[in-house]
Amino acid sequence: MSIREIIRVPNPFLKIVAKPVNIINDSILGLLDDMLETMYNANGIGLAATQISENKRVIVMDCGKVDFNQDDMTEEEYNDKIKNIEPQPIKMINPKIIHLSSNLTEREEGCLSIPGYNAQVKRPNTIKVNYIDENKNDITLEADGLLATCIQHEVDHLNGVLFIDHISRLKREIILRKAIKEFTTD
Ligand code: ZN
């Protein structure tokens, strides 16, 4: 396993529509492991292959440590709670969202390709996703809450879409202008 470089805006690779995976072989399984390691290393809860410059429809996620209400917790209580939570990695090959609920929910999102910039994004609250897992099982999963948001965010990446594409043009331009200035003068 190795930690890979996460590309940031305005890298044009973030805009590509990624290609489906035809064969699940060791190189795909190794890619999934690299993606998880890269995601954990960056303290992220989701990562799409395109974010590490791989043109493949695969995503990884782990929402276990943040999928609860942290608002009323002290930092100590939070650290105490998460240290007992085992990793809950999810690997999805060729994920396809097959149902989106009509009821929407708004949640703050961020992205490892635009680190440090968050925005409220409205998305369907409940979804169904079909995918192949690392054992070649065909899975259909119904998700809601944070996981549903995360899956939509990551599948968007495979279609060249970022979370800022879901917010107002004015807010998007402000974030992009600041982020690009910051990332290109590093
Ligand atoms: Zn992202």
Side-chain angles (χ1 to χ4, degrees), residues 6 9 49 56 84 119 150 186:
I6 299 173
V9 292
K56 296 187 176 75
N84 296 315
C150 196
D186 268 354

Side-chain angles (χ1 to χ4, degrees), residues 46 51 110-113 153-154 157 162-163:
Q51 293 179 275
C111 181
L112 295 176
S113 294
H153 178 121
E154 300 312 328
H157 272 299
L162 300 172
F163 78 92

